[in-house]
Amino acid sequence: MIVNERQTPEGLLVAVCDEAVLGETFEGEGISLAVTEEFYGGETVDEDVVVDSLARATVANIVGTEAVELAVENGFVDEANVLEVGPTLHAQLLWL
């Protein structure tokens, strides 16, 4: 998986995606999702690093079946809130 962390005035923004979806655009039910290098590109890491990054995130965008399932399994995202966008999954995380 690929992780990109950015510090913003509102906190830590984390973008996570499966390697296979980077550079792809997905369409589904009125949604278009572009997994751009600019936003999602970053360091290729293992699952432990992804979990650590999500644990520290204030906001996270997660794309790809593997990445979203990892976020669900570790309690960051409720499965009921996962979107299917074409053949992939997308979820967002926001801690208030």
Side-chain angles (χ1 to χ4, degrees), residues 21-42:
V21 302
L22 187 63
E24 300 291 330
T25 298
F26 300 96
E27 306 281 335
E29 297 187 30
I31 298 171
S32 179
L33 176 62
V35 189
T36 64
E37 175 74 32
E38 180 181 37
F39 188 79
Y40 288 94

Side-chain angles (χ1 to χ4, degrees), residues 14-91:
V14 174
V16 179
C17 72
D18 293 358
E19 288 183 71
V21 302
L22 187 63
E24 300 291 330
T25 298
F26 300 96
E27 306 281 335
E29 297 187 30
I31 298 171
S32 179
L33 176 62
V35 189
T36 64
E37 175 74 32
E38 180 181 37
F39 188 79
Y40 288 94
E43 185 178 350
T44 301
V45 298
D46 63 26
E47 291 183 356
D48 291 336
V49 175
V50 173
V51 170
D52 177 65
S53 188
L54 291 174
R56 294 180 292 107
T58 305
V59 176
N61 287 281
I62 310 158
V63 180
T65 302
E66 184 181 343
V68 171
E69 287 178 354
L70 181 66
V72 169
E73 289 168 9
N74 284 276
F76 296 110
V77 174
D78 186 323
E79 192 169 9
N81 295 320
V82 172
L83 296 176
E84 290 184 28
V85 184
T88 197
L89 300 178
H90 174 64

